[in-house]
Amino acid sequence: MEAFVAVFVTLMLLGSAAGNECTNSIYQSHTVRHKLLTSNNETWKKEMMSHYHLTPTDDSAWADLLPRKFLSEQHQHEWGMMYRKIKNMGASNAPQGLLKEVPLQDVRLQEGTIHGRAQQTNLEYLLMLDVDRLLWSFRKTAGLPTPGRPYEGKDSWEDPNSELRGHFVGHYLSASALMWATTQNDSMKEKMSAVVAGLSACQEKIGTGYLSAFPTEFFDRIEELKYAWAPYYTIHKILAGLLDQHTIAGNPQALKMVTRMVDYFYNRVMNVITKYTIHRHYQSMNEETGGMNDVLYRLYSITGDSKHLLLAHLFDKPCFLGLLAVQVFENNSCCDRIAIQSIMSYMVVAANEITGLHTNTHIPIVVGAQMRYETTGDPLYKEIGTFFMDIVNSSHSFATGGTSFGEFWGDPKRMADAFRSAENEESCTTYNMLKVSRHLFRWTKEVSYADYYERALTNGVLSIQRGTDPGVMIYMLPLGPGVSKAKSYHSWGRPFEVFWCCYGTAIESFSKLGDSIYFEEEGKDPTLYIIQYISSSFNWKSGKILLNQTVVPAASWDPYLRVTFTFSPDEEKTGTLSTLNLRIPSWTRLDGAKGILNAETLSLPTPGNFLSVTRQWNAGDKLTLQLPITIRTEALKDDRPEYASLQAILYGPYLLAGHTDNERDMKAGANTDWITPVPASYNNQLVSFSQDFGNSTIVITNSKVSLAMQNLPESGTDLALHATFRLLPTESSSKLSTLSDSIGKPVMLEPFDLPGMNVIHKGADQPLVIGDSSNDGASSVFLVVPGLDGRKETISLESQSNKGCYVYSGMSSGAGVKLSCKSGSEVSFNQATSFVAGKGLRQYDPISFVAKGVNRTFLLEPLFNFRDEFYTVYFNIQDPCPIINRWIAPPIGWDKVNSDAALAACGNWGIGIIIRDHEGCVLAAATRKIGTFADACLAEAMGVRLAIQFAILWNFLLTKLF
């Protein structure tokens, strides 16, 4: 058996290339499919469809993977035994000890918070959608009357001619069930119940159990190995939505509809297998099938019907999951020689072999595999989920936590290739990766998975909604240099005109923002894991308390996560002894961290662990956490030397993006003065200058070179940002708490997105420009005076160096702005030099920083705060330490190693001495086994500002270093 396993692993590694096309047709991209089906170019359509199903799956037969000429009959028998073990139905029991999901009905998000606003915006959108329009194509397919009109249009995936029609309705069923659970909104309940009832009428009319917005002919085509646009993908959405209506919203009618649909498709799949072979079934599944396996395992866990389990197995994709299954041998004692020596090779091979695969075809299959483990207890599928997360995070992920180049995986550790276009992170993939990590956390209770969930939710989900505009979301999240969410190929969607796949997943994501804050652990005493710090309340029934979590909004000027928990025991029940486990995120540090229960200071574990507190909670108990939020950089996952300096900047879990459309060179040192917080008071200094003429309003805007008048822009646009300036008092004693404080004071005008730059004049009748005032400070100073037009609400800006000369507009959109001195018509001059100085059209996010660049200074804000503005996520951060690779002394002697190895040496051996130069760069370090000094070493390696640190006896210093 030992030899067999060795050969099996080798075969899987060497033979996996054949599986690279598994379920991955040449035009798997949903965008290309939509263009294909709406195109009038019949020649192109014929050419593209001729490629369909040319590459069969690896699973033509399990035995075909075994080259019999290499193995004995005994090994062939063992291969067959392995097949039966993997395919065995119901022989295993569901695993024990998994954390339990808490009912979403018991969680409430706090209104007005970032998560509360996102949820409310989504609720408004769900209520905007019309039931008859959602049901139109279903009724048409069933032969029922079709009141109203469909959500049609050339860009709409719910158009009656779109082959994916109906998918969004499935998502709507899930989203509305989740939204109702967490808000108990009566209108939502009424609307989603009407959709279920309407679909039930369609199913009854058809009479076979079939239910979809398109005819059964689509399935005839894929069973004949002809093209149809992912019909099982849509069926999965409908099944999942109806199942959520049952399990979350308590609608028994929905479960009956699901079982009737599944009976129909069970018979259909069995017919294909009986008529042809199981191989033919898998060939017809060489297509995106969504999470069919996932929803069927979920259904089996409810019904216990073996048909549901069998059908779930038949929607697993062995050609893809088999590639990941190789990881199961890591802990197999019979093949330690392979596992110990080659496990990293497995990961490299697997990371390469998902290259080119359609990302969102395959992540849901892994989610289904995870559900298979939770349903049957088969450990193989536990290993698959774990290994998959490892290879994606190690080689194919962005700093957001998301993945994919457009809709595909690129080469491993070649993430810079994604920036050839602005179509980067597909939103659907983040939605599904969150599911993967959520399962893994419930199995393992490992903080790393909760940290990932926080990162992906904060940056990959919150960033795809356009502020508080209902129904305006994004398909692909741009992450390259100088990109804009409004300027990508897809740009922002429109509430009633697109209905992309990522619209469906987005409405679900924003409906379940509270579903992964709290998890329960079964046992003698109630135990609760709190893994996300989101302002909310939780009715913890087993703990017999109402728990309130209040998080102080993060701010750059207050670098701490501050969260308070208060408790209200159930009045009708006595309190019970219970345990709270609170996540201490990996991005924090112990220095400055505090935990206080009432007046008692708690001992905190190291970051990456849980703080556990057990007591009988009483009214008046107060538990507070103060966790430092650290600034750190994270390299792009690209191992080519030319991209080694591309790094993202994170503030705790928040990914920061810089306001820039081209430059991205930055110089960061070992010290932290290269990045500084924007004080809260700066928002009081933001102003926009406008003039009203007739029925229009125009404002002063900067183009990064000069100034011009433009029509008043909409909120969130790039122009709104360029129409915002900061008034900087030139006198150190002056404070501008309000705009009125500036009257009579000299000020400079700093463009919002160009910190350190100012508006400068070049003399009378010369255009105003943007530049560095350090060379000629006087030309950038203006005196704020009452408006020359005599109106109370206006001001004028007089040059301090050119008395009697004022900032002057051309009084029309597109006109330049210059410095002009009084002459000609006094009335027109006074009008052109008088402005309403109103609140800035753009405000600094509370999490805002200024970072030093090589040629300019950058304003950084969280990625989720950007709407239409241009930004850069990965900066070219220059290393100020030209010889950062210093001498590290391991116990066995001297060796020149890189900084990563230095950090590892610190963690393993402790630090003896660190010497830095004037820039804070490490000049020398000696290491030796000294136990607790390892933390000091790590702190130094992370950039603590110390010139010299001695942490060992002088004789070691003298004998080893000198």
Side-chain angles (χ1 to χ4, degrees), residues 755-874:
M757 306 295 278
N758 297 113
V759 175
I760 298 173
H761 71 76
K762 297 294 186 179
D765 295 320
Q766 296 298 311
L768 297 181
V769 297
I770 307 298
D772 186 348
S773 63
S774 60
N775 296 328
D776 187 7
S779 65
S780 64
V781 179
F782 299 89
L783 188 67
V784 181
V785 299
L788 296 184
D789 63 0
R791 293 190 294 158
K792 289 175 55 178
E793 64 269 25
T794 63
I795 58 95
S796 295
L797 297 167
E798 181 182 14
S799 169
Q800 188 177 61
S801 59
N802 293 54
K803 295 297 183 181
C805 298
Y806 298 84
V807 174
Y808 180 97
S809 82
M811 294 192 294
S812 64
S813 180
V817 180
K818 64 181 180 179
L819 188 72
S820 183
C821 305
K822 284 190 176 182
S823 65
S825 171
E826 186 170 321
V827 173
S828 62
F829 180 87
N830 291 345
Q831 286 181 332
T833 56
S834 298
F835 303 89
V836 175
K839 182 180 179 181
L841 294 176
R842 185 64 152 76
Q843 297 284 294
Y844 296 113
D845 187 87
I847 305 172
S848 293
F849 292 87
V850 170
K852 296 178 181 177
V854 174
N855 300 310
R856 54 161 290 190
T857 302
F858 297 97
L859 173 65
L860 307 180
E861 294 186 299
L863 179 61
F864 61 67
N865 194 51
F866 285 77
R867 286 181 278 179
D868 299 353
E869 307 94 335
F870 286 88
Y871 61 85
T872 291
V873 169
Y874 286 95

Side-chain angles (χ1 to χ4, degrees), residues 93-114:
N93 296 318
Q96 302 298 309
L98 307 187
L99 294 181
K100 287 176 53 182
E101 301 172 347
V102 304
L104 196 54
Q105 289 92 328
D106 294 335
V107 180
R108 293 287 180 274
L109 299 186
Q110 189 178 109
E111 295 180 3
T113 63
I114 183 173

Side-chain angles (χ1 to χ4, degrees), residues 344-486:
M344 292 309 295
S345 297
Y346 301 163
M347 187 173 290
V348 170
V349 170
N352 274 285
E353 288 308 316
I354 68 172
T355 296
L357 293 182
H358 185 254
T359 314
N360 212 47
T361 292
H362 296 85
I363 304 175
I365 295 169
V366 175
V367 176
Q370 291 180 302
M371 197 64 211
R372 178 168 180 164
Y373 165 66
E374 292 191 14
T375 303
T376 69
D378 191 329
L380 173 65
Y381 293 87
K382 178 182 179 181
E383 294 293 335
I384 284 173
T386 303
F387 185 50
F388 175 76
M389 190 75 176
D390 288 344
I391 62 173
V392 171
N393 279 345
S394 66
S395 303
H396 294 280
S397 64
F398 297 106
T400 56
T403 184
S404 82
F405 292 12
E407 295 187 22
F408 298 85
W409 279 303
D411 292 326
K413 295 188 178 180
R414 292 290 188 274
M415 298 301 287
D417 292 344
F419 304 147
R420 293 170 183 167
S421 81
E423 298 285 285
N424 304 142
E425 178 182 322
E426 185 184 7
S427 302
C428 288
T429 65
T430 308
Y431 160 88
N432 280 308
M433 288 302 295
L434 283 168
K435 288 186 175 184
V436 174
S437 66
R438 191 172 188 267
H439 280 296
L440 291 172
F441 175 75
R442 290 179 50 244
W443 302 347
T444 66
K445 310 179 187 70
E446 290 183 13
V447 167
S448 60
Y449 296 125
D451 285 345
Y452 172 86
Y453 197 98
E454 176 185 51
R455 175 194 290 242
L457 182 69
T458 302
N459 305 298
V461 173
L462 295 182
S463 296
I464 67 172
Q465 196 179 51
R466 191 181 186 276
T468 56
D469 297 344
V472 182
M473 296 168 287
I474 205 165
Y475 191 146
M476 301 283 185
L477 181 60
L479 296 172
V483 293
S484 166
K485 299 173 188 177

Side-chain angles (χ1 to χ4, degrees), residues 54 192 427 505 570 631:
L54 282 182
M192 68 186 190
S427 302
T505 53
D570 191 317
I631 285 276

